[in-house]
Amino acid sequence: MAIARQVLCVCAFLSLPHARAEPIRYSVAEEAESGSLVGKLAEDAGLTPAQLSARGARLVSEDGRQHFRLERGSGRLLVAGRLDREELCGQSGSCM
């Protein structure tokens, strides 16, 4: 099986009391399928899914497109649709 290139680093920063105060970084393989697990955001932030939901956690992107989705009930971060590195980052050597 070929190793997929890493395309995107998803950073979650939760500046909430009783949560981690440093960024949480995730890497996503290029062309990961829709619904693929990126990470367990609630767990990685030291929160329960209910706490994450109660705090109004949401995803925001610079381009306004939703590349990921947050399942508030489980606290999981998932790929929302196929990621295309060239479309997202052009010919840039790194893609964040």
XYZ file of all heavy atoms in Angstrom:
714
model
N 0.842 -1.172 0.000
C 0.000 0.000 0.000
C 0.891 1.239 0.000
O 1.835 1.336 0.753
C -0.896 0.001 1.244
C -1.700 1.251 1.279
S -2.796 1.651 2.646
C -3.072 0.298 3.615
N 0.623 2.168 -0.885
C 1.413 3.389 -0.985
C 1.054 4.323 0.162
O -0.079 4.366 0.624
C 1.134 4.080 -2.314
N 2.042 5.065 0.597
C 1.801 6.042 1.663
C 1.281 7.318 1.026
O 1.888 7.869 0.118
C 3.101 6.339 2.433
C 3.593 5.057 3.108
C 2.865 7.434 3.458
C 4.918 5.199 3.800
N 0.136 7.788 1.479
C -0.457 9.023 0.948
C 0.291 10.230 1.497
O 0.770 10.205 2.623
C -1.930 9.094 1.344
N 0.387 11.260 0.667
C 1.009 12.501 1.133
C 0.142 13.142 2.190
O -1.072 13.020 2.171
C 1.155 13.501 -0.021
C 2.230 13.142 -0.976
C 2.479 14.272 -1.911
N 1.290 14.483 -2.741
C 1.185 15.438 -3.637
N 2.169 16.273 -3.832
N 0.096 15.581 -4.352
N 0.789 13.809 3.092
C 0.041 14.559 4.092
C -0.323 15.900 3.486
O 0.519 16.599 2.946
C 0.885 14.776 5.357
C 1.300 13.488 6.010
C 0.122 12.677 6.489
O -0.691 13.158 7.244
N 0.023 11.440 6.038
N -1.590 16.253 3.519
C -2.037 17.451 2.838
C -2.323 18.608 3.741
O -2.170 19.727 3.350
C -3.379 17.246 2.126
C -3.400 17.967 0.859
C -3.841 15.892 2.036
N -2.851 18.343 4.829
C -3.411 19.419 5.601
C -3.131 19.192 7.063
O -3.162 18.084 7.523
C -4.918 19.369 5.380
C -5.746 20.594 5.456
C -5.144 21.799 4.824
C -7.088 20.308 4.851
N -2.860 20.235 7.747
C -2.700 20.165 9.188
C -3.853 20.954 9.781
O -4.001 22.135 9.512
C -1.369 20.771 9.598
S -1.108 20.770 11.367
N -4.673 20.300 10.532
C -5.825 20.948 11.134
C -5.432 21.318 12.553
O -5.020 20.461 13.322
C -7.028 19.983 11.175
C -8.222 20.657 11.814
C -7.350 19.501 9.782
N -5.541 22.570 12.880
C -5.207 23.012 14.223
C -6.470 23.423 14.958
O -7.252 24.222 14.458
C -4.268 24.203 14.181
S -2.679 23.817 13.465
N -6.639 22.875 16.100
C -7.769 23.254 16.939
C -7.191 23.948 18.165
O -6.310 23.423 18.825
C -8.555 22.017 17.351
N -7.672 25.121 18.449
C -7.201 25.857 19.610
C -8.394 26.147 20.482
O -9.319 26.831 20.077
C -6.524 27.167 19.196
C -5.954 27.910 20.359
C -4.792 27.465 20.964
C -6.574 29.041 20.858
C -4.255 28.144 22.044
C -6.047 29.723 21.930
C -4.876 29.277 22.531
N -8.383 25.593 21.647
C -9.496 25.776 22.561
C -9.003 26.573 23.766
O -8.314 26.047 24.624
C -10.044 24.419 23.012
C -10.527 23.519 21.896
C -10.846 22.138 22.433
C -11.737 24.121 21.224
N -9.318 27.851 23.809
C -8.907 28.677 24.936
C -10.059 28.736 25.931
O -10.644 29.780 26.182
C -8.523 30.075 24.459
O -9.611 30.661 23.785
N -10.400 27.603 26.443
C -11.522 27.473 27.347
C -11.009 27.013 28.709
O -10.069 26.232 28.781
C -12.511 26.433 26.805
C -12.986 26.646 25.373
C -13.720 25.413 24.893
C -13.885 27.852 25.295
N -11.651 27.456 29.786
C -11.238 26.965 31.101
C -11.346 25.449 31.153
O -12.252 24.852 30.582
C -12.263 27.598 32.047
C -12.847 28.738 31.300
C -12.759 28.385 29.842
N -10.402 24.814 31.801
C -10.358 23.364 31.982
C -10.134 22.600 30.680
O -10.370 21.407 30.620
C -11.628 22.851 32.674
C -11.978 23.624 33.886
N -11.169 23.672 34.996
C -13.032 24.413 34.165
C -11.716 24.444 35.910
N -12.857 24.914 35.425
N -9.745 23.263 29.651
C -9.397 22.584 28.404
C -7.929 22.880 28.113
O -7.341 23.771 28.710
C -10.269 23.086 27.252
N -7.355 22.150 27.216
C -5.963 22.407 26.837
C -5.845 23.799 26.267
O -6.726 24.258 25.568
C -5.518 21.396 25.783
C -5.443 19.991 26.290
C -5.159 19.026 25.188
N -4.038 19.450 24.383
C -3.278 18.647 23.676
N -3.515 17.381 23.688
N -2.298 19.101 22.953
N -4.747 24.464 26.542
C -4.555 25.828 26.058
C -3.609 25.877 24.867
O -3.373 26.944 24.329
C -4.028 26.708 27.180
N -3.051 24.760 24.454
C -2.154 24.756 23.304
C -2.867 24.170 22.094
O -3.870 23.474 22.230
C -0.872 23.988 23.606
C -1.051 22.517 23.809
C -1.326 22.121 25.265
O -1.454 22.981 26.132
O -1.430 20.914 25.486
N -2.352 24.461 20.903
C -2.991 23.933 19.681
C -2.952 22.410 19.643
O -2.047 21.781 20.150
C -2.130 24.508 18.553
C -1.368 25.621 19.149
C -1.205 25.314 20.600
N -3.970 21.853 19.039
C -4.030 20.416 18.777
C -3.855 20.282 17.272
O -4.591 20.897 16.513
C -5.393 19.831 19.204
C -5.635 20.073 20.689
C -5.454 18.343 18.881
C -7.057 19.791 21.114
N -2.879 19.523 16.825
C -2.585 19.420 15.400
C -2.930 18.026 14.888
O -2.622 17.034 15.522
C -1.114 19.719 15.133
C -0.743 21.122 15.510
C 0.711 21.402 15.156
N 1.097 22.721 15.579
C 0.957 23.820 14.854
N 0.447 23.732 13.646
N 1.328 24.990 15.315
N -3.546 18.018 13.721
C -3.891 16.767 13.055
C -3.368 16.829 11.632
O -3.399 17.878 11.004
C -5.414 16.579 12.981
C -6.104 16.498 14.314
C -6.829 17.573 14.793
C -6.050 15.343 15.069
C -7.476 17.508 16.006
C -6.700 15.271 16.288
C -7.403 16.347 16.756
O -8.048 16.278 17.965
N -2.927 15.697 11.113
C -2.530 15.581 9.711
C -3.564 14.722 9.001
O -4.057 13.750 9.564
C -1.154 14.936 9.574
O -0.165 15.783 10.114
N -3.839 15.098 7.757
C -4.835 14.380 6.971
C -4.188 13.935 5.665
O -3.544 14.725 4.991
C -6.049 15.296 6.663
C -7.086 14.553 5.853
C -6.637 15.840 7.950
N -4.380 12.694 5.328
C -3.818 12.165 4.086
C -4.556 12.749 2.887
O -5.770 12.938 2.936
C -3.903 10.647 4.054
N -3.810 13.027 1.830
C -4.409 13.545 0.603
C -5.454 12.569 0.081
O -5.265 11.356 0.141
C -3.334 13.763 -0.451
C -3.888 14.339 -1.733
C -2.801 14.711 -2.731
O -1.621 14.518 -2.448
O -3.161 15.199 -3.800
N -6.550 13.130 -0.391
C -7.655 12.364 -0.954
C -8.285 11.394 0.050
O -8.824 10.358 -0.339
C -7.231 11.669 -2.242
C -6.808 12.687 -3.309
C -6.590 12.073 -4.667
O -7.067 10.960 -4.909
O -5.959 12.739 -5.507
N -8.234 11.765 1.332
C -8.948 10.972 2.337
C -10.433 11.009 1.991
O -10.947 12.028 1.540
C -8.701 11.546 3.726
N -11.103 9.902 2.187
C -12.519 9.820 1.833
C -13.379 10.624 2.789
O -13.043 10.802 3.952
C -12.963 8.356 1.864
C -12.346 7.516 0.788
C -12.904 6.104 0.788
O -14.075 5.935 1.170
O -12.168 5.205 0.408
N -14.503 11.090 2.284
C -15.474 11.783 3.107
C -15.882 10.872 4.259
O -16.104 9.687 4.071
C -16.701 12.141 2.266
O -17.657 12.782 3.053
N -15.915 11.423 5.456
C -16.266 10.645 6.633
C -15.083 10.035 7.349
O -15.237 9.455 8.421
N -13.866 10.177 6.773
C -12.673 9.627 7.417
C -12.408 10.362 8.725
O -12.545 11.582 8.810
C -11.445 9.782 6.523
O -11.584 9.052 5.332
N -12.003 9.613 9.731
C -11.695 10.188 11.027
C -10.392 10.971 10.974
O -9.372 10.465 10.508
C -11.597 9.084 12.090
C -11.224 9.540 13.486
C -12.354 10.382 14.100
C -10.922 8.332 14.369
N -10.438 12.213 11.433
C -9.235 13.043 11.538
C -8.690 12.929 12.955
O -7.502 12.747 13.162
C -9.544 14.520 11.194
C -8.316 15.391 11.397
C -10.058 14.637 9.770
N -9.559 13.054 13.938
C -9.138 12.942 15.325
C -10.313 13.016 16.272
O -11.419 13.386 15.895
N -10.040 12.651 17.505
C -11.052 12.715 18.554
C -10.859 14.036 19.293
O -10.164 14.099 20.316
C -10.918 11.517 19.477
C -11.175 10.202 18.758
C -10.982 9.012 19.666
C -11.251 7.732 18.896
N -11.025 6.555 19.743
N -11.450 15.090 18.750
C -11.217 16.449 19.225
C -11.574 16.626 20.697
O -10.785 17.184 21.459
C -11.983 17.454 18.364
C -11.768 18.923 18.695
C -10.300 19.293 18.597
C -12.597 19.786 17.771
N -12.740 16.164 21.115
C -13.146 16.335 22.517
C -12.129 15.665 23.445
O -11.629 16.299 24.382
C -14.539 15.763 22.746
N -11.800 14.427 23.152
C -10.857 13.685 23.980
C -9.489 14.356 23.991
O -8.867 14.509 25.045
C -10.753 12.255 23.451
C -9.856 11.350 24.254
C -9.818 9.954 23.668
O -10.893 9.409 23.333
O -8.703 9.404 23.549
N -9.008 14.764 22.821
C -7.694 15.387 22.727
C -7.640 16.739 23.440
O -6.578 17.184 23.861
C -7.294 15.560 21.258
C -7.113 14.221 20.548
O -6.967 13.184 21.240
O -7.136 14.213 19.308
N -8.795 17.389 23.580
C -8.865 18.677 24.274
C -9.116 18.500 25.773
O -9.175 19.476 26.518
C -9.974 19.528 23.668
N -9.293 17.258 26.197
C -9.534 17.004 27.609
C -10.969 17.301 28.028
O -11.229 17.628 29.182
N -11.895 17.201 27.085
C -13.305 17.468 27.350
C -14.139 16.253 26.992
O -13.714 15.409 26.212
C -13.794 18.651 26.493
C -13.111 19.986 26.684
C -13.521 20.958 25.591
C -13.429 20.546 28.054
N -15.346 16.205 27.528
C -16.293 15.196 27.079
C -17.000 15.770 25.853
O -17.023 16.994 25.669
C -17.349 14.882 28.160
O -18.147 16.048 28.375
C -16.692 14.429 29.458
N -17.593 14.935 25.005
C -18.346 15.470 23.866
C -19.447 16.440 24.311
O -19.687 17.455 23.653
C -18.933 14.214 23.211
C -17.945 13.145 23.546
C -17.498 13.473 24.954
N -20.091 16.164 25.444
C -21.143 17.056 25.946
C -20.574 18.429 26.306
O -21.194 19.456 26.020
C -21.834 16.429 27.156
N -19.388 18.461 26.901
C -18.757 19.744 27.240
C -18.389 20.510 25.976
O -18.575 21.719 25.908
C -17.498 19.514 28.087
C -17.785 19.048 29.488
C -16.505 18.652 30.208
O -15.639 17.967 29.646
N -16.384 19.086 31.458
N -17.856 19.800 24.990
C -17.490 20.432 23.729
C -18.723 21.051 23.070
O -18.703 22.200 22.637
C -16.852 19.403 22.793
C -16.190 19.915 21.535
C -14.923 20.689 21.871
C -15.855 18.768 20.608
N -19.812 20.315 23.047
C -21.056 20.802 22.465
C -21.625 21.975 23.257
O -22.049 22.977 22.682
C -22.071 19.659 22.403
O -23.250 20.108 21.797
N -21.623 21.865 24.570
C -22.159 22.936 25.421
C -21.387 24.240 25.258
O -21.955 25.323 25.416
C -22.134 22.489 26.882
N -20.133 24.152 24.916
C -19.304 25.352 24.736
C -19.439 25.946 23.342
O -18.790 26.911 22.994
C -17.850 25.016 25.035
C -17.646 24.678 26.495
C -16.294 24.062 26.732
N -16.208 23.560 28.076
C -15.299 23.970 28.960
N -14.423 24.876 28.627
N -15.282 23.443 30.157
N -20.292 25.331 22.518
C -20.559 25.877 21.194
C -19.422 25.692 20.211
O -19.212 26.540 19.336
N -18.686 24.604 20.337
C -17.562 24.351 19.422
C -18.054 24.371 17.986
O -19.129 23.875 17.661
C -16.928 23.003 19.742
N -17.257 24.982 17.107
C -17.605 25.028 15.688
C -16.325 25.101 14.880
O -15.257 25.424 15.394
C -18.501 26.222 15.395
C -17.822 27.540 15.607
C -18.722 28.694 15.239
N -17.876 29.843 15.041
C -17.845 30.883 15.844
N -18.612 30.938 16.858
N -17.042 31.875 15.618
N -16.432 24.827 13.592
C -15.290 24.863 12.688
C -15.392 26.111 11.819
O -16.459 26.420 11.302
C -15.271 23.620 11.802
C -15.208 22.294 12.542
C -15.289 21.148 11.546
C -13.955 22.185 13.367
N -14.258 26.790 11.649
C -14.206 27.989 10.824
C -13.005 27.860 9.900
O -11.929 27.463 10.334
C -14.037 29.251 11.709
C -13.960 30.497 10.859
C -15.160 29.359 12.723
N -13.197 28.176 8.624
C -12.074 28.128 7.687
C -11.888 29.499 7.048
O -12.836 30.283 6.950
C -12.311 27.067 6.606
O -13.390 27.437 5.794
N -10.658 29.767 6.626
C -10.343 31.060 6.012
C -11.103 31.270 4.710
O -11.488 32.387 4.392
C -8.837 31.179 5.769
C -8.053 31.358 7.044
C -6.565 31.503 6.787
O -6.160 31.628 5.611
O -5.812 31.480 7.764
N -11.309 30.206 3.947
C -11.976 30.363 2.649
C -13.489 30.175 2.746
O -14.189 30.249 1.744
C -11.382 29.421 1.607
C -11.587 27.945 1.911
O -12.275 27.610 2.896
O -11.048 27.113 1.162
N -13.996 29.931 3.940
C -15.436 29.793 4.125
C -15.999 28.432 3.744
O -17.176 28.178 3.943
N -15.168 27.558 3.195
C -15.637 26.217 2.832
C -15.420 25.273 4.005
O -14.463 25.416 4.757
C -14.893 25.707 1.603
C -15.158 26.573 0.388
C -14.545 26.038 -0.865
N -13.207 25.473 -0.659
C -12.366 25.196 -1.623
N -12.694 25.414 -2.878
N -11.195 24.689 -1.364
N -16.298 24.335 4.149
C -16.186 23.370 5.232
C -15.521 22.095 4.720
O -16.163 21.267 4.092
C -17.567 23.065 5.816
C -18.180 24.236 6.553
C -17.336 24.686 7.737
O -16.863 23.886 8.524
N -17.125 25.986 7.833
N -14.234 21.972 4.992
C -13.477 20.790 4.592
C -13.636 19.665 5.610
O -13.354 18.510 5.318
C -12.002 21.123 4.435
C -11.759 22.222 3.451
N -11.921 22.049 2.095
C -11.403 23.520 3.626
C -11.642 23.190 1.476
N -11.337 24.081 2.388
N -14.051 20.026 6.816
C -14.186 19.073 7.910
C -15.528 19.278 8.587
O -16.159 20.306 8.432
C -13.058 19.281 8.934
C -11.706 19.176 8.302
C -11.042 20.298 7.857
C -11.105 17.940 8.130
C -9.810 20.204 7.247
C -9.870 17.837 7.518
C -9.219 18.967 7.070
N -15.936 18.274 9.346
C -17.158 18.431 10.126
C -16.918 17.875 11.523
O -16.148 16.923 11.701
C -18.355 17.784 9.448
C -18.436 16.308 9.463
C -19.773 15.816 8.844
N -19.926 14.407 9.070
C -19.557 13.464 8.222
N -19.026 13.786 7.065
N -19.737 12.193 8.516
N -17.576 18.483 12.467
C -17.455 18.093 13.860
C -18.735 17.409 14.290
O -19.816 17.988 14.172
C -17.206 19.334 14.726
C -17.130 19.123 16.226
C -15.994 18.177 16.590
C -16.951 20.463 16.923
N -18.611 16.186 14.734
C -19.752 15.470 15.293
C -19.829 15.847 16.768
O -19.026 15.377 17.580
C -19.570 13.956 15.165
C -19.757 13.405 13.799
C -19.686 11.879 13.791
O -19.150 11.275 14.746
O -20.143 11.303 12.799
N -20.749 16.718 17.098
C -20.831 17.191 18.478
C -21.182 16.078 19.452
O -20.729 16.084 20.591
C -21.830 18.325 18.591
C -21.315 19.590 17.942
C -22.216 20.740 18.231
N -21.675 21.946 17.611
C -22.215 23.120 17.776
N -23.284 23.268 18.525
N -21.678 24.174 17.197
N -21.990 15.127 19.024
C -22.391 14.043 19.915
C -21.246 13.142 20.338
O -21.232 12.605 21.432
N -20.262 12.976 19.451
C -19.131 12.088 19.748
C -17.830 12.862 19.968
O -16.866 12.296 20.480
C -18.921 11.094 18.607
O -18.497 11.777 17.430
N -17.779 14.116 19.543
C -16.551 14.905 19.664
C -15.514 14.557 18.624
O -14.357 14.955 18.728
N -15.924 13.826 17.565
C -14.976 13.430 16.520
C -14.925 14.465 15.405
O -15.938 15.041 15.035
C -15.370 12.068 15.938
C -15.332 10.959 16.950
C -15.672 9.588 16.414
N -16.615 9.605 15.314
C -16.666 8.690 14.357
N -15.832 7.684 14.357
N -17.561 8.764 13.396
N -13.736 14.666 14.854
C -13.510 15.544 13.712
C -13.343 14.658 12.489
O -12.515 13.744 12.476
C -12.246 16.378 13.947
C -11.897 17.422 12.912
C -12.988 18.489 12.831
C -10.552 18.057 13.244
N -14.164 14.904 11.449
C -14.184 14.069 10.254
C -13.934 14.886 8.997
O -14.205 16.090 8.965
C -15.558 13.384 10.123
C -16.045 12.587 11.317
C -17.495 12.171 11.110
C -15.178 11.376 11.559
N -13.451 14.225 7.960
C -13.302 14.861 6.647
C -14.702 15.013 6.058
O -15.483 14.067 6.044
C -12.422 13.990 5.711
C -12.395 14.560 4.300
C -11.017 13.853 6.274
N -15.040 16.231 5.608
C -16.383 16.498 5.069
C -16.490 16.124 3.594
O -17.560 15.782 3.117
C -16.758 17.962 5.257
N -15.401 16.199 2.876
C -15.393 15.879 1.454
C -13.973 15.605 1.007
O -13.022 15.878 1.732
N -13.822 15.056 -0.170
C -12.495 14.720 -0.707
C -11.598 15.951 -0.715
O -12.007 17.021 -1.157
C -12.634 14.160 -2.115
C -11.354 13.658 -2.703
C -11.598 13.119 -4.115
N -10.400 13.213 -4.890
C -9.957 14.313 -5.500
N -10.622 15.418 -5.422
N -8.843 14.299 -6.188
N -10.379 15.808 -0.220
C -9.417 16.907 -0.185
C -8.465 16.780 -1.364
O -7.903 15.719 -1.596
C -8.619 16.876 1.124
C -9.436 16.992 2.403
C -8.538 16.775 3.614
C -10.117 18.332 2.470
N -8.293 17.862 -2.095
C -7.377 17.892 -3.229
C -6.287 18.908 -2.920
O -6.536 20.101 -2.848
C -8.137 18.287 -4.496
C -7.257 18.245 -5.735
O -6.028 18.442 -5.612
O -7.800 18.025 -6.823
N -5.076 18.421 -2.708
C -3.968 19.272 -2.312
C -3.732 20.405 -3.310
O -3.523 21.549 -2.930
C -2.685 18.454 -2.164
C -1.524 19.278 -1.671
C -0.229 18.484 -1.728
N 0.843 19.160 -1.096
C 1.452 20.233 -1.578
N 1.046 20.752 -2.714
N 2.443 20.810 -0.935
N -3.743 20.092 -4.606
C -3.477 21.112 -5.611
C -4.544 22.210 -5.582
O -4.251 23.377 -5.745
C -3.384 20.496 -7.009
C -2.072 19.747 -7.275
C -2.011 18.371 -6.599
O -3.076 17.805 -6.292
O -0.891 17.890 -6.358
N -5.782 21.810 -5.370
C -6.870 22.789 -5.308
C -6.717 23.672 -4.067
O -6.952 24.878 -4.122
C -8.218 22.073 -5.250
C -9.402 23.003 -5.135
C -10.712 22.249 -4.967
O -10.825 21.125 -5.449
O -11.602 22.822 -4.344
N -6.320 23.077 -2.948
C -6.212 23.835 -1.701
C -4.955 24.696 -1.629
O -4.998 25.804 -1.114
C -6.212 22.869 -0.510
C -7.519 22.139 -0.249
C -7.301 21.030 0.775
C -8.581 23.110 0.215
N -3.843 24.179 -2.136
C -2.549 24.841 -1.906
C -1.742 25.141 -3.170
O -0.641 25.664 -3.071
C -1.695 23.989 -0.984
S -2.474 23.687 0.599
N -2.252 24.781 -4.318
C -1.500 25.035 -5.551
C -0.205 24.260 -5.551
O -0.152 23.099 -5.185
N 0.878 24.908 -5.946
C 2.170 24.265 -6.049
C 3.045 24.492 -4.827
O 4.226 24.205 -4.835
C 2.903 24.762 -7.296
C 2.171 24.448 -8.598
C 1.945 22.954 -8.772
O 2.834 22.145 -8.546
N 0.728 22.593 -9.154
N 2.472 25.012 -3.748
C 3.207 25.262 -2.522
C 3.817 23.976 -1.994
O 3.198 22.911 -2.036
C 2.247 25.855 -1.481
O 2.916 25.995 -0.238
N 5.035 24.061 -1.475
C 5.718 22.894 -0.948
C 5.086 22.356 0.318
O 5.088 21.167 0.577
N 4.552 23.250 1.122
C 3.851 22.816 2.335
C 2.413 23.299 2.257
O 2.114 24.279 1.616
C 4.539 23.381 3.594
O 4.422 24.786 3.595
N 1.553 22.569 2.902
C 0.128 22.878 2.800
C -0.465 22.809 4.201
O -0.544 21.757 4.791
C -0.533 21.856 1.879
S -2.268 22.205 1.557
N -0.833 23.950 4.716
C -1.412 24.005 6.064
C -2.795 24.610 5.991
O -3.049 25.508 5.255
C -0.558 24.862 6.990
C 0.852 24.371 7.143
S 0.950 23.066 8.302
C 1.678 23.860 9.669
